[in-house]
């Protein structure tokens, strides 16, 4: 299901202004990815417990889409099992 463009823009703007699940997780190593083409940089921390994503946070610098998508990812994947998260990632990649 595709969202109307105005709704999608509102969601992106909201997550840019008020990103969710930010900052490092205690006792969890982060993974940093850079996009040298545009300068975006995102570090992600994932706390896996019992095959489920118990905590997922991020920190980064970059454009509105970069930061909003990282925030949306943390909201969407927290609480999911690894197979559920992988399935959602495949759906996301298919839309790029």
């Amino acid at each position: 299901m595709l969202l109307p463009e105005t709704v999608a823009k509102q969601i992106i703007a909201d997550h840019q202004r008020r990103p969710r699940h930010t900052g490092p997780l205690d006792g969890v190593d982060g993974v940093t990815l850079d996009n040298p083409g545009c300068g975006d940089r995102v570090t992600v921390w994932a706390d896996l417990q019992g095959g489920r994503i118990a905590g997922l946070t991020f920190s980064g610098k970059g454009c509105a889409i970069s930061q909003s998508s990282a925030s949306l990812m943390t909201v969407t994947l927290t609480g999911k099992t690894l197979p559920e998260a992988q399935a959602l990632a495949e759906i996301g990649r298919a839309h790029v």
Side-chain angles (χ1 to χ4, degrees), residues 70-83:
S71 178
L72 283 160
M73 174 191 68
T74 66
V75 170
T76 302
L77 298 182
T78 298
K80 299 284 191 278
T81 65
L82 291 179

Side-chain angles (χ1 to χ4, degrees), residues 16-62:
Q16 181 191 18
R17 282 190 305 274
R18 296 180 314 110
R20 279 60 152 194
H21 306 281
T22 60
L25 287 173
D26 290 337
V28 177
D29 291 332
V31 175
T32 300
L33 296 173
D34 294 296
N35 183 340
C38 67
D40 293 342
R41 178 183 184 102
V42 176
T43 302
V44 176
W45 294 268
D47 181 15
L48 304 175
Q49 295 188 16
R52 191 171 291 278
I53 301 171
L56 185 63
T57 63
F58 83 100
S59 177
K61 300 267 188 233

